[in-house]
Amino acid sequence: MSQLSEQVRQQFDFRPYPQIPIEQEVTEESSLLFSHEWQTPHYLQTGRVPEPKTARILDAGCGTGYGTLALATANPGAEVLGVDFSAASLEKARSRLDYHGHHQVELHCLDLMQLHELGIQFDYINCDDTLYLFDDPIAALGQLQEVLKPGGILRVNVHSALQREAVYRGQTLFHRWGLLEENPETPAVETLQGVMGQLKGWVNLKQQTWKPEFAREEATADILMNYLFQGDRGYTIPKVFEILEQAGLQFLRMVNWQQWDLLALFNQPQSLPPSILEQLRGMSVQQQLEWFELLHPVHRLLDFWCVNTHHPPADSVANWDAVTWANQWSQVQVWLHPQLCHDGFRDACLQSWHSQKPLLLNAYFDPGLNGVVTLDSRGAISLFPLIKTSPQPLLNLIRRSIDLFPRHPETLEPVQPELVLAQVKTLLVHLHHHGCVFLEHQPNEGRQR
C-alpha cells in the first residue's frame, strides 16, 4: 500500500464514511436505488432485461455499507460482495447489513489493488466515491477490469474539478497551513472551523463552500470529506474519456443522463446562431458532455457506466421509425421498471384513475429526472397490468386499452386498433425516455417470467 493509500485508510478508520445511521432505510431514496441497480445499464448496453438473481455484484470501496445495502435492495436475489480497506468502516457495514436482514452479503477487508485475490468475476461492479483517491486511476481501473466478466458493467464516479473548484482552492490553502501534513484528526478540524468561522460572510471561499452546519461538533466527517480529504482530486469530462480509453473501457452513459441534457440549457435551441447550431447537430456524446460541463458544472460527481466489451448499439424500440413499429410492434415486450413494481405505485395509479388527476412520477421513481414528470390518468391505468406481471406483450396492452376505452370520445365509433397502437406507442416512448419502462424486441416468442 502506498503512503497516500495508507493515509486515506487511516482517515477512514478515524472517521468511517458515510456517517449515515445504521437503521436508516434506503427504500425511500429512489434515485439511490436507481444508481445502484444493474438491470438499467444492462438494458442500455444489450437491449435485454436480465434477472437480478443471476448477477454477481461487487461494491468496491463499500465504506460503511450504505451503498452496499442499496445494491442488495435494488437487485433482489443477486449475490452481493463488499470490499474496503478500512476495518472500522467494514465493522459498521456489517452491522448495517445485519440490521436490515442482509446477512448473506459478504464483506472483505482488501485494498482495491488486491481484488484479484478474491478469485471471483462479477457481472456488475459499483465503485462509488473511490476512484479519485488513486494516484494512478488507470491501474485502479485495470484491477477492476481484472475481476469484471466479459460484457460486465462498471459504475464509476469521480469528483468534478469544475464543480468543486472552490473546495480545491481551499484544500490548497489548508495544505499550506500544514493541516494535511499528518492525517487530519480532531485538532485540524477544530482549527479549520475556527478560521472559517472568523471569515466574513462575503469572502468567496466561505460563501461558496461553507455551510452553517459545518460549525457543529458532529460535522467532522463532512469537513474531512471536503476540506481535509487526503488524496482528493478532481476530473473533467475530457480526462474521464482519456483514462477510459487508456484502460480499454468504453463509456456507456451517465448514470443521471437526464441531468446532462445540453439542449435543455437553452430557451430555444433552434434559435441559436447557425454556426453553433450546426456544431450541436454533429456532436459526439463526449462533446455534448464537455459543452454541458463548461456551461453548467453543477454535478459534484461525474457518475457514469462503462463496459469492457464492445457491443453494437442496442436495438432500441424507442428509436424505431413508423414503418418498423407498424411491422414489428407485435414482437415488443414491455417491462415496467422494477422500482415501480410495488403496491404503492399500484395504489397511486388507481387513485389517479378514480380522481382523474395526473400522477407525479417523481414521487415514486427518480433516475435523475430533469424536472417534474407526470402521467395522465389514462396513462396511469394503462400501466396497471405491468405492476404485477412484467413483462407483458405490447399486444396485451393494446387489447386492454381497447377494453377500457372501446369508443372514440367524439364520434362514439368503435376505436381503431391502429389509433390505439399510436397512443400506446407515444406513451411508452415518453416513459422510456425517462427510464420508467424497458422495451424489448422479441423476434421469436416473447419471454415470460
Side-chain angles (χ1 to χ4, degrees), residues 307-379:
V307 295
N308 62 359
T309 304
H310 177 70
H311 281 265
D315 178 20
S316 176
V317 176
N319 293 329
W320 281 0
D321 58 26
V323 173
T324 309
W325 264 100
N327 292 337
Q328 302 195 59
W329 62 268
S330 62
Q331 299 173 348
V332 174
Q333 294 270 28
V334 183
W335 299 69
L336 189 63
H337 196 282
Q339 283 189 42
L340 291 171
C341 294
H342 57 79
D343 289 341
F345 186 66
R346 176 183 179 276
D347 293 343
C349 289
L350 281 177
Q351 178 61 30
S352 174
W353 173 248
H354 290 309
S355 67
Q356 291 295 293
K357 293 181 179 179
L359 187 155
L360 179 64
L361 276 171
N362 306 62
Y364 302 92
F365 180 71
D366 186 6
L369 295 171
N370 195 14
V372 174
V373 178
T374 60
L375 190 62
D376 64 30
S377 58
R378 181 165 176 163

Coordinates of all heavy atoms in Angstrom, one line a residue, residues 307-379:
V307 N -18.2 -0.2 -20.0 CA -18.2 -1.6 -20.2 C -16.8 -2.0 -20.8 O -16.0 -1.2 -21.3 CB -19.3 -2.0 -21.3 CG1 -20.6 -1.7 -20.7 CG2 -19.1 -1.2 -22.6
N308 N -16.5 -3.3 -20.6 CA -15.2 -3.8 -21.1 C -15.2 -4.6 -22.4 O -14.2 -5.0 -22.8 CB -14.5 -4.7 -20.0 CG -15.4 -5.9 -19.7 OD1 -16.4 -6.1 -20.3 ND2 -14.9 -6.7 -18.8
T309 N -16.4 -4.7 -22.9 CA -16.6 -5.4 -24.2 C -17.4 -4.6 -25.1 O -18.5 -4.2 -24.7 CB -17.2 -6.8 -24.0 OG1 -16.4 -7.5 -23.1 CG2 -17.2 -7.6 -25.3
H310 N -17.0 -4.4 -26.3 CA -17.8 -3.6 -27.3 C -19.0 -4.3 -27.7 O -18.9 -5.5 -28.1 CB -16.9 -3.2 -28.5 CG -17.7 -2.4 -29.5 ND1 -18.1 -1.1 -29.3 CD2 -18.2 -2.8 -30.8 CE1 -18.8 -0.7 -30.4 NE2 -18.9 -1.7 -31.3
H311 N -20.1 -3.7 -27.7 CA -21.4 -4.2 -28.2 C -21.9 -3.3 -29.2 O -21.8 -2.1 -29.0 CB -22.4 -4.4 -27.1 CG -22.2 -5.6 -26.2 ND1 -22.8 -6.8 -26.5 CD2 -21.4 -5.9 -25.2 CE1 -22.5 -7.7 -25.6 NE2 -21.6 -7.2 -24.8
P312 N -22.5 -3.8 -30.3 CA -23.2 -2.8 -31.2 C -24.3 -2.2 -30.4 O -24.9 -2.7 -29.4 CB -23.8 -3.8 -32.3 CG -23.8 -5.1 -31.7 CD -22.7 -5.2 -30.7
P313 N -24.8 -1.0 -30.8 CA -25.8 -0.3 -30.1 C -27.1 -1.2 -30.0 O -27.4 -1.9 -31.0 CB -26.1 0.9 -31.0 CG -24.8 1.1 -31.7 CD -24.3 -0.2 -32.0
A314 N -27.7 -1.2 -28.9 CA -28.9 -2.0 -28.7 C -30.0 -1.5 -29.6 O -30.1 -0.3 -30.0 CB -29.4 -1.8 -27.2
D315 N -30.8 -2.5 -30.1 CA -31.9 -2.2 -31.0 C -33.0 -1.6 -30.1 O -33.9 -2.2 -29.6 CB -32.4 -3.5 -31.6 CG -33.6 -3.3 -32.5 OD1 -33.8 -2.1 -32.9 OD2 -34.3 -4.2 -32.8
S316 N -33.0 -0.2 -30.0 CA -33.9 0.5 -29.1 C -35.2 0.6 -29.8 O -35.3 1.3 -30.9 CB -33.3 1.8 -28.8 OG -34.2 2.6 -28.0
V317 N -36.3 0.0 -29.3 CA -37.6 0.2 -29.8 C -38.0 1.6 -29.9 O -38.7 2.0 -30.8 CB -38.6 -0.7 -28.9 CG1 -40.0 -0.5 -29.4 CG2 -38.2 -2.1 -29.0
A318 N -37.5 2.4 -28.9 CA -37.9 3.8 -28.9 C -37.4 4.6 -30.1 O -38.0 5.7 -30.4 CB -37.4 4.5 -27.6
N319 N -36.4 4.1 -30.8 CA -35.9 4.8 -32.0 C -36.4 4.2 -33.3 O -36.0 4.6 -34.3 CB -34.3 4.6 -32.0 CG -33.7 5.4 -30.8 OD1 -34.3 6.4 -30.4 ND2 -32.6 4.9 -30.3
W320 N -37.4 3.3 -33.2 CA -37.9 2.7 -34.4 C -38.7 3.8 -35.2 O -39.3 4.7 -34.6 CB -38.9 1.6 -34.1 CG -38.3 0.3 -33.8 CD1 -36.9 0.0 -33.8 CD2 -39.0 -0.9 -33.4 NE1 -36.7 -1.3 -33.5 CE2 -38.0 -1.9 -33.2 CE3 -40.3 -1.2 -33.3 CZ2 -38.3 -3.2 -32.9 CZ3 -40.6 -2.5 -32.9 CH2 -39.6 -3.5 -32.7
D321 N -38.7 3.7 -36.5 CA -39.5 4.6 -37.3 C -40.9 4.1 -37.4 O -41.2 3.0 -36.9 CB -38.9 4.9 -38.7 CG -38.7 3.6 -39.5 OD1 -39.4 2.6 -39.2 OD2 -37.8 3.5 -40.3
A322 N -41.8 4.8 -38.0 CA -43.2 4.4 -38.1 C -43.4 3.1 -38.8 O -44.2 2.3 -38.4 CB -44.0 5.5 -38.8
V323 N -42.6 2.9 -39.9 CA -42.7 1.6 -40.6 C -42.3 0.4 -39.8 O -43.0 -0.6 -39.8 CB -41.8 1.7 -41.9 CG1 -41.9 0.3 -42.6 CG2 -42.4 2.8 -42.8
T324 N -41.2 0.5 -39.0 CA -40.7 -0.6 -38.2 C -41.8 -0.9 -37.1 O -42.1 -2.0 -36.8 CB -39.4 -0.2 -37.6 OG1 -38.5 0.2 -38.6 CG2 -38.8 -1.4 -36.8
W325 N -42.3 0.2 -36.5 CA -43.3 0.0 -35.5 C -44.5 -0.8 -36.1 O -45.0 -1.7 -35.5 CB -43.8 1.3 -35.0 CG -43.1 1.8 -33.7 CD1 -42.1 2.6 -33.6 CD2 -43.4 1.3 -32.4 NE1 -41.7 2.8 -32.2 CE2 -42.6 2.0 -31.5 CE3 -44.4 0.4 -31.8 CZ2 -42.6 1.8 -30.1 CZ3 -44.4 0.2 -30.5 CH2 -43.5 0.9 -29.6
A326 N -44.9 -0.4 -37.3 CA -46.1 -1.0 -37.9 C -45.9 -2.5 -38.2 O -46.8 -3.3 -38.1 CB -46.5 -0.2 -39.2
N327 N -44.6 -2.8 -38.5 CA -44.3 -4.2 -38.9 C -44.0 -5.1 -37.8 O -44.1 -6.3 -37.9 CB -43.1 -4.2 -39.9 CG -43.5 -3.5 -41.3 OD1 -44.7 -3.5 -41.6 ND2 -42.5 -3.0 -42.0
Q328 N -43.4 -4.5 -36.7 CA -42.9 -5.4 -35.6 C -43.4 -5.1 -34.2 O -43.0 -5.7 -33.3 CB -41.4 -5.2 -35.6 CG -40.7 -5.5 -36.9 CD -39.2 -5.7 -36.8 OE1 -38.7 -6.6 -36.1 NE2 -38.4 -4.9 -37.5
W329 N -44.5 -4.3 -34.1 CA -45.0 -4.0 -32.8 C -45.5 -5.2 -32.0 O -45.4 -5.2 -30.8 CB -46.1 -2.9 -32.9 CG -47.3 -3.4 -33.6 CD1 -47.6 -3.2 -35.0 CD2 -48.4 -4.1 -33.1 NE1 -48.8 -3.7 -35.3 CE2 -49.3 -4.3 -34.2 CE3 -48.8 -4.6 -31.9 CZ2 -50.5 -4.9 -34.1 CZ3 -50.0 -5.2 -31.7 CH2 -50.9 -5.4 -32.8
S330 N -45.9 -6.2 -32.7 CA -46.4 -7.4 -32.1 C -45.3 -8.2 -31.4 O -45.5 -9.2 -30.7 CB -47.2 -8.3 -33.0 OG -46.3 -8.7 -34.1
Q331 N -44.0 -7.8 -31.7 CA -42.9 -8.6 -31.1 C -42.2 -7.8 -30.0 O -41.1 -8.1 -29.6 CB -41.9 -8.8 -32.2 CG -42.4 -9.7 -33.4 CD -41.5 -9.8 -34.5 OE1 -40.5 -9.1 -34.6 NE2 -41.7 -10.7 -35.4
V332 N -42.9 -6.8 -29.5 CA -42.3 -6.0 -28.4 C -42.9 -6.4 -27.1 O -44.1 -6.6 -26.9 CB -42.7 -4.5 -28.6 CG1 -42.3 -3.6 -27.4 CG2 -42.1 -3.9 -29.9
Q333 N -41.9 -6.6 -26.1 CA -42.3 -6.9 -24.7 C -42.0 -5.6 -23.9 O -41.0 -4.9 -24.1 CB -41.4 -8.0 -24.2 CG -41.6 -9.3 -24.8 CD -42.7 -10.1 -24.1 OE1 -43.6 -9.6 -23.5 NE2 -42.6 -11.5 -24.2
V334 N -43.0 -5.3 -23.0 CA -42.9 -4.1 -22.2 C -42.7 -4.5 -20.8 O -43.4 -5.3 -20.2 CB -44.2 -3.3 -22.3 CG1 -44.1 -2.0 -21.6 CG2 -44.5 -3.0 -23.8
W335 N -41.6 -3.9 -20.2 CA -41.3 -4.1 -18.8 C -41.5 -2.8 -18.1 O -41.0 -1.7 -18.5 CB -39.9 -4.5 -18.6 CG -39.4 -5.8 -19.2 CD1 -39.3 -6.0 -20.5 CD2 -39.0 -6.9 -18.5 NE1 -38.8 -7.3 -20.7 CE2 -38.6 -7.9 -19.5 CE3 -38.9 -7.3 -17.2 CZ2 -38.2 -9.2 -19.2 CZ3 -38.4 -8.6 -16.8 CH2 -38.1 -9.5 -17.8
L336 N -42.2 -2.8 -17.0 CA -42.2 -1.6 -16.1 C -40.9 -1.7 -15.2 O -40.5 -2.8 -14.8 CB -43.4 -1.7 -15.1 CG -43.7 -0.4 -14.3 CD1 -44.0 0.8 -15.2 CD2 -44.9 -0.7 -13.3
H337 N -40.3 -0.5 -15.0 CA -39.1 -0.5 -14.2 C -39.3 -1.2 -12.9 O -40.3 -0.9 -12.2 CB -38.5 0.9 -14.1 CG -37.1 0.9 -13.6 ND1 -36.8 0.7 -12.3 CD2 -36.0 1.1 -14.3 CE1 -35.4 0.8 -12.2 NE2 -34.9 1.0 -13.4
P338 N -38.4 -2.1 -12.4 CA -38.7 -2.8 -11.2 C -38.9 -1.9 -10.0 O -39.6 -2.3 -9.0 CB -37.4 -3.6 -11.0 CG -36.4 -3.1 -11.9 CD -37.1 -2.5 -13.0
Q339 N -38.4 -0.7 -10.0 CA -38.7 0.2 -8.8 C -40.1 0.7 -8.8 O -40.6 1.2 -7.8 CB -37.7 1.4 -8.9 CG -36.3 1.1 -8.4 CD -35.5 2.3 -8.3 OE1 -35.9 3.3 -7.8 NE2 -34.2 2.3 -8.7
L340 N -40.9 0.5 -9.9 CA -42.3 0.9 -9.9 C -43.2 -0.3 -9.6 O -44.4 -0.1 -9.6 CB -42.6 1.5 -11.2 CG -42.0 2.9 -11.4 CD1 -42.2 3.4 -12.9 CD2 -42.5 3.9 -10.4
C341 N -42.7 -1.5 -9.5 CA -43.5 -2.7 -9.4 C -43.7 -3.0 -7.9 O -43.2 -3.9 -7.3 CB -42.8 -3.9 -10.0 SG -42.7 -3.8 -11.8
H342 N -44.6 -2.1 -7.3 CA -44.9 -2.3 -5.9 C -46.3 -1.8 -5.7 O -46.9 -1.0 -6.5 CB -43.9 -1.7 -5.0 CG -43.7 -0.2 -5.2 ND1 -44.6 0.8 -4.8 CD2 -42.7 0.5 -5.9 CE1 -44.2 2.0 -5.1 NE2 -43.1 1.8 -5.8
D343 N -46.9 -2.1 -4.5 CA -48.2 -1.8 -4.2 C -48.5 -0.3 -4.1 O -49.6 0.2 -4.4 CB -48.7 -2.5 -2.9 CG -48.8 -4.0 -3.1 OD1 -49.0 -4.4 -4.2 OD2 -48.8 -4.7 -2.0
G344 N -47.4 0.4 -3.6 CA -47.6 1.9 -3.5 C -47.9 2.5 -4.9 O -48.7 3.4 -5.0
F345 N -47.1 2.1 -5.9 CA -47.4 2.7 -7.2 C -48.7 2.2 -7.8 O -49.4 2.9 -8.5 CB -46.2 2.3 -8.2 CG -46.3 3.0 -9.5 CD1 -46.2 4.4 -9.6 CD2 -46.5 2.2 -10.7 CE1 -46.3 5.0 -10.9 CE2 -46.6 2.8 -11.9 CZ -46.5 4.2 -12.0
R346 N -49.0 0.9 -7.5 CA -50.3 0.4 -8.0 C -51.5 1.2 -7.4 O -52.4 1.6 -8.1 CB -50.4 -1.1 -7.5 CG -51.8 -1.7 -7.8 CD -51.8 -3.1 -7.2 NE -53.1 -3.8 -7.4 CZ -54.2 -3.6 -6.7 NH1 -54.1 -2.8 -5.6 NH2 -55.3 -4.3 -7.0
D347 N -51.4 1.5 -6.1 CA -52.4 2.3 -5.5 C -52.5 3.8 -6.1 O -53.6 4.3 -6.2 CB -52.2 2.4 -4.0 CG -52.4 1.1 -3.3 OD1 -53.0 0.2 -3.9 OD2 -51.9 0.9 -2.1
A348 N -51.3 4.3 -6.4 CA -51.3 5.6 -7.0 C -51.9 5.7 -8.3 O -52.6 6.6 -8.7 CB -49.8 6.1 -7.1
C349 N -51.7 4.6 -9.1 CA -52.3 4.5 -10.5 C -53.9 4.5 -10.3 O -54.6 5.2 -11.1 CB -51.8 3.3 -11.2 SG -50.1 3.4 -11.8
L350 N -54.3 3.7 -9.4 CA -55.8 3.6 -9.2 C -56.3 4.9 -8.7 O -57.4 5.4 -9.2 CB -56.1 2.5 -8.1 CG -56.1 1.1 -8.6 CD1 -56.3 0.1 -7.4 CD2 -57.1 0.8 -9.7
Q351 N -55.6 5.6 -7.8 CA -56.1 6.9 -7.3 C -56.1 7.9 -8.4 O -57.1 8.7 -8.5 CB -55.1 7.4 -6.2 CG -55.5 8.7 -5.6 CD -56.9 8.8 -5.0 OE1 -57.4 7.8 -4.4 NE2 -57.5 9.9 -5.0
S352 N -55.1 7.9 -9.3 CA -55.1 8.8 -10.4 C -56.3 8.6 -11.3 O -57.0 9.5 -11.8 CB -53.8 8.6 -11.2 OG -53.8 9.4 -12.4
W353 N -56.7 7.3 -11.5 CA -57.8 7.0 -12.4 C -59.1 7.4 -11.7 O -60.0 8.1 -12.4 CB -57.8 5.5 -12.7 CG -59.1 5.0 -13.4 CD1 -60.1 4.2 -12.9 CD2 -59.4 5.4 -14.7 NE1 -61.0 4.1 -13.9 CE2 -60.7 4.8 -15.0 CE3 -58.8 6.2 -15.7 CZ2 -61.3 4.9 -16.2 CZ3 -59.5 6.3 -16.9 CH2 -60.7 5.7 -17.2
H354 N -59.3 7.1 -10.5 CA -60.5 7.5 -9.8 C -60.7 9.0 -9.6 O -61.8 9.5 -9.8 CB -60.6 6.8 -8.4 CG -60.8 5.4 -8.4 ND1 -61.8 4.7 -9.2 CD2 -60.1 4.4 -7.8 CE1 -61.7 3.4 -9.0 NE2 -60.6 3.2 -8.2
S355 N -59.6 9.7 -9.4 CA -59.7 11.2 -9.2 C -59.6 11.9 -10.5 O -59.9 13.1 -10.6 CB -58.6 11.6 -8.3 OG -57.3 11.5 -8.9
Q356 N -59.2 11.2 -11.6 CA -58.9 11.8 -12.9 C -57.9 13.0 -12.8 O -58.0 14.0 -13.5 CB -60.2 12.3 -13.5 CG -61.2 11.2 -14.0 CD -60.6 10.4 -15.1 OE1 -60.4 10.9 -16.2 NE2 -60.2 9.1 -14.8
K357 N -56.9 12.8 -11.9 CA -55.8 13.7 -11.8 C -54.5 13.1 -12.2 O -54.3 11.9 -12.1 CB -55.7 14.2 -10.3 CG -56.9 15.0 -9.9 CD -56.8 15.5 -8.4 CE -58.0 16.3 -8.0 NZ -57.8 16.7 -6.5
P358 N -53.5 13.9 -12.7 CA -52.3 13.4 -13.1 C -51.5 12.7 -11.9 O -51.7 13.1 -10.8 CB -51.5 14.6 -13.6 CG -52.5 15.6 -13.9 CD -53.6 15.4 -12.9
L359 N -50.7 11.8 -12.3 CA -49.8 11.1 -11.3 C -48.4 11.6 -11.4 O -47.9 11.7 -12.5 CB -49.8 9.6 -11.6 CG -49.1 8.7 -10.6 CD1 -49.8 7.3 -10.6 CD2 -47.6 8.5 -10.8
L360 N -47.8 12.0 -10.3 CA -46.5 12.6 -10.3 C -45.5 11.4 -10.2 O -45.3 10.8 -9.1 CB -46.3 13.5 -9.1 CG -44.9 14.2 -8.9 CD1 -44.6 15.1 -10.1 CD2 -44.8 14.9 -7.6
L361 N -44.8 11.1 -11.3 CA -43.9 10.0 -11.3 C -42.7 10.2 -10.4 O -42.1 9.3 -9.9 CB -43.4 9.8 -12.8 CG -44.3 8.9 -13.7 CD1 -43.8 9.0 -15.1 CD2 -44.3 7.5 -13.2
N362 N -42.2 11.5 -10.2 CA -41.1 11.8 -9.4 C -41.2 11.2 -8.0 O -40.3 11.0 -7.3 CB -40.8 13.3 -9.4 CG -40.7 13.9 -10.7 OD1 -41.6 13.9 -11.5 ND2 -39.5 14.5 -11.0
A363 N -42.5 11.1 -7.5 CA -42.7 10.7 -6.2 C -42.4 9.2 -6.0 O -42.2 8.8 -4.9 CB -44.2 11.0 -5.8
Y364 N -42.3 8.5 -7.1 CA -42.1 7.0 -7.0 C -40.9 6.5 -7.7 O -40.4 5.4 -7.5 CB -43.3 6.3 -7.6 CG -44.6 6.7 -6.9 CD1 -45.4 7.7 -7.4 CD2 -45.0 6.0 -5.8 CE1 -46.6 8.1 -6.7 CE2 -46.2 6.4 -5.1 CZ -47.0 7.5 -5.6 OH -48.1 7.8 -4.9
F365 N -40.3 7.4 -8.5 CA -39.2 6.9 -9.4 C -38.4 8.1 -9.8 O -38.9 9.1 -10.3 CB -39.7 6.2 -10.6 CG -38.7 5.7 -11.5 CD1 -37.9 4.6 -11.2 CD2 -38.5 6.3 -12.8 CE1 -36.9 4.1 -12.1 CE2 -37.5 5.8 -13.7 CZ -36.7 4.7 -13.3
D366 N -37.1 8.1 -9.5 CA -36.3 9.3 -9.8 C -34.9 8.8 -10.2 O -33.9 8.8 -9.4 CB -36.2 10.2 -8.6 CG -35.5 11.5 -9.0 OD1 -35.1 11.7 -10.2 OD2 -35.2 12.3 -8.1
P367 N -34.7 8.6 -11.5 CA -33.3 8.3 -12.1 C -32.5 9.6 -12.4 O -31.7 9.6 -13.3 CB -33.6 7.5 -13.3 CG -34.9 8.1 -13.8 CD -35.7 8.5 -12.6
G368 N -32.9 10.7 -11.7 CA -32.2 11.9 -12.0 C -33.1 12.7 -13.0 O -32.6 13.3 -14.0
L369 N -34.4 12.6 -12.8 CA -35.3 13.3 -13.7 C -35.1 14.8 -13.8 O -34.8 15.4 -12.8 CB -36.8 13.0 -13.3 CG -37.2 11.6 -13.3 CD1 -38.6 11.4 -12.7 CD2 -37.3 11.0 -14.8
N370 N -35.1 15.3 -15.0 CA -34.8 16.7 -15.2 C -36.1 17.5 -15.2 O -36.7 17.9 -16.2 CB -34.1 16.9 -16.6 CG -33.5 18.2 -16.7 OD1 -33.3 19.0 -15.8 ND2 -33.1 18.6 -17.9
G371 N -36.6 17.8 -14.0 CA -37.9 18.5 -13.8 C -39.0 17.5 -13.4 O -38.8 16.3 -13.2
V372 N -40.2 18.1 -13.3 CA -41.4 17.3 -12.9 C -41.9 16.5 -14.1 O -42.0 17.0 -15.2 CB -42.5 18.2 -12.4 CG1 -43.7 17.5 -12.1 CG2 -42.0 19.0 -11.2
V373 N -42.1 15.2 -13.9 CA -42.7 14.3 -14.9 C -44.0 13.7 -14.4 O -44.0 13.1 -13.3 CB -41.7 13.2 -15.2 CG1 -42.3 12.2 -16.3 CG2 -40.4 13.7 -15.7
T374 N -45.0 13.9 -15.2 CA -46.4 13.5 -14.8 C -46.9 12.5 -15.8 O -46.4 12.4 -16.9 CB -47.3 14.6 -14.6 OG1 -47.4 15.3 -15.9 CG2 -46.9 15.6 -13.6
L375 N -47.9 11.8 -15.3 CA -48.6 10.8 -16.2 C -50.1 11.0 -16.0 O -50.6 11.1 -14.9 CB -48.2 9.4 -15.7 CG -48.6 8.2 -16.5 CD1 -47.9 8.2 -17.9 CD2 -48.2 6.9 -15.8
D376 N -50.8 11.2 -17.1 CA -52.2 11.4 -17.0 C -52.9 10.2 -16.5 O -52.4 9.0 -16.5 CB -52.8 12.0 -18.3 CG -52.8 11.0 -19.5 OD1 -52.8 9.8 -19.2 OD2 -52.7 11.4 -20.6
S377 N -54.2 10.3 -16.1 CA -54.9 9.2 -15.5 C -55.1 8.0 -16.5 O -55.0 6.9 -16.1 CB -56.3 9.7 -15.0 OG -57.0 10.2 -16.1
R378 N -55.3 8.3 -17.7 CA -55.4 7.2 -18.7 C -54.1 6.5 -18.9 O -54.1 5.2 -19.0 CB -55.8 7.8 -20.1 CG -56.0 6.8 -21.2 CD -56.8 7.4 -22.3 NE -56.9 6.4 -23.4 CZ -57.8 6.5 -24.4 NH1 -58.6 7.5 -24.5 NH2 -57.9 5.6 -25.4
G379 N -53.0 7.2 -18.9 CA -51.7 6.5 -19.0 C -51.4 5.7 -17.7 O -50.9 4.6 -17.8

